[in-house]
Amino acid sequence: MPSPSHIHPSLAQARQLGLITDDELDDAIAELEIIELQRKHNEEEGIDVPELAAGAGLVDTLAWLLLTDLLPQDDFLQRVRDLPRQQLAADALRQVNRQAIDTLYDEDLIDQWQRDAAHARLPADRLLASPVAALRDMLRQGTLSAPQFEALRLRTRQRGSELGRIIVDGAAQRAHRPAYARPVTWVMPALLLVVVLAVAGRAIVSRQAPATIAEQGVERPELQQNAAHAVESARLPGAGPDLSITVVQDGATPPAP
């Protein structure tokens, strides 16, 4: 690799084309200096960061800038408006995404056929910023089926590498993100009212003498009606399906399903 004191030809070309700013060019040069220092002081251990090859072309250089986050993806895509540069951006994104897929193959998470299929369907308009994102993208596209993913989780848990387990666990967490994590409109205020009613009813019962099951059965419908009324009052016009809520007091027998 040439000395970082001399600007890498492809970095200079990227700046000339307006694909990176002066600040981003300075950051890239500084990154190359850090890598060179690491190589001098850790010759036996090697370098643990992505490197830019001395003869790297413009596409590989842009891919390196994206991979190291020296070039923000959103800013980069806004700068490529004419057709030739759009193609250049697409090629750079594919290059980074290919590396994420190759990591899955190197860690024995996918076979050669799955790797080749994923290569053939690499997105050219967005960045798969990690192998986790690449694995999730394969699931989304159907290149990796849900049963295959479950078999992969079991195999990786039993005899996979540490990095492989991290990748699969990360993809599994995103795949099983609960639906209630999404923003809601009237549901949360309605549920809050239901909780308040349930807590208030429990507090009233705790101050009274122990009631029989029959007496509790008299109070349950009243609380259910209050809860249902609260939900109905909180519903916005044109809202989605009804939310069925059952309030069960401590010590009471739950209603039959």
Side-chain angles (χ1 to χ4, degrees), residues 9-99:
S10 291
L11 285 175
Q13 185 181 2
R15 179 65 193 98
Q16 184 179 7
L17 292 173
L19 297 174
I20 59 176
T21 65
D22 287 334
D23 290 341
E24 290 164 350
L25 176 61
D26 292 342
D27 290 342
I29 294 174
E31 180 72 10
L32 293 178
E33 291 176 347
I34 293 173
I35 292 175
E36 187 170 300
L37 287 174
Q38 287 183 340
R39 181 181 292 104
K40 289 180 179 179
H41 292 86
N42 301 282
E43 292 182 358
E44 296 181 358
E45 298 180 6
I47 306 299
D48 58 354
V49 294
E51 295 188 69
L52 179 62
L58 185 57
V59 171
D60 289 334
T61 299
L62 291 173
W64 176 76
L65 290 168
L66 289 166
L67 185 62
T68 55
D69 205 28
L70 291 168
L71 177 56
Q73 177 189 356
D74 292 340
D75 293 346
F76 174 57
L77 293 177
Q78 289 177 1
R79 296 171 194 166
V80 288
R81 291 189 173 88
D82 56 278
L83 185 58
R85 293 201 301 176
Q86 284 180 358
Q87 184 59 49
L88 185 64
D91 291 342
L93 286 171
R94 286 196 189 95
Q95 182 74 358
V96 180
N97 295 340
R98 180 183 296 271
Q99 294 180 28

Side-chain angles (χ1 to χ4, degrees), residues 54-219:
L58 185 57
V59 171
D60 289 334
T61 299
L62 291 173
W64 176 76
L65 290 168
L66 289 166
L67 185 62
T68 55
D69 205 28
L70 291 168
L71 177 56
Q73 177 189 356
D74 292 340
D75 293 346
F76 174 57
L77 293 177
Q78 289 177 1
R79 296 171 194 166
V80 288
R81 291 189 173 88
D82 56 278
L83 185 58
R85 293 201 301 176
Q86 284 180 358
Q87 184 59 49
L88 185 64
D91 291 342
L93 286 171
R94 286 196 189 95
Q95 182 74 358
V96 180
N97 295 340
R98 180 183 296 271
Q99 294 180 28
I101 296 294
D102 288 344
T103 299
L104 299 179
Y105 178 75
D106 293 340
E107 295 301 320
D108 196 27
L109 300 180
I110 58 176
D111 58 31
Q112 179 181 350
W113 306 107
Q114 291 169 329
R115 180 199 62 185
D116 293 344
H119 281 172
R121 304 180 66 177
L122 287 173
D125 58 346
R126 55 192 172 87
L127 179 67
L128 301 178
S130 69
V132 173
L135 193 58
R136 288 292 303 131
D137 194 65
M138 291 182 65
L139 275 168
R140 183 185 62 81
Q141 292 184 354
T143 309
L144 185 69
S145 67
Q148 287 175 327
F149 180 69
E150 290 304 321
L152 171 62
R153 289 183 65 187
L154 179 61
R155 176 168 59 84
T156 306
R157 190 179 300 117
Q158 292 175 343
R159 59 180 185 274
S161 66
E162 181 178 357
L163 177 57
R165 289 193 295 270
I166 292 173
I167 294 171
V168 173
D169 289 345
Q173 289 176 5
R174 294 187 184 182
H176 296 90
R177 184 173 297 171
Y180 55 75
R182 293 192 296 267
V184 293
T185 53
W186 59 272
V187 176
M188 289 306 296
L191 290 178
L192 180 59
L193 288 173
V194 172
V195 171
V196 171
L197 287 171
V199 173
R202 187 176 301 168
I204 294 173
V205 172
S206 65
R207 293 193 186 98
Q208 297 174 349
T212 63
I213 294 178
E215 291 171 342
Q216 292 175 359
V218 172
E219 290 180 350

Side-chain angles (χ1 to χ4, degrees), residues 190 193-198 200-201 204 218-234 245 247 249:
L193 288 173
V194 172
V195 171
V196 171
L197 287 171
I204 294 173
V218 172
E219 290 180 350
R220 189 196 315 277
E222 182 180 351
L223 283 176
Q224 285 181 317
Q225 292 174 3
N226 290 339
H229 177 70
V231 173
E232 192 62 32
S233 298
I245 297 177
V247 179
Q249 293 177 304

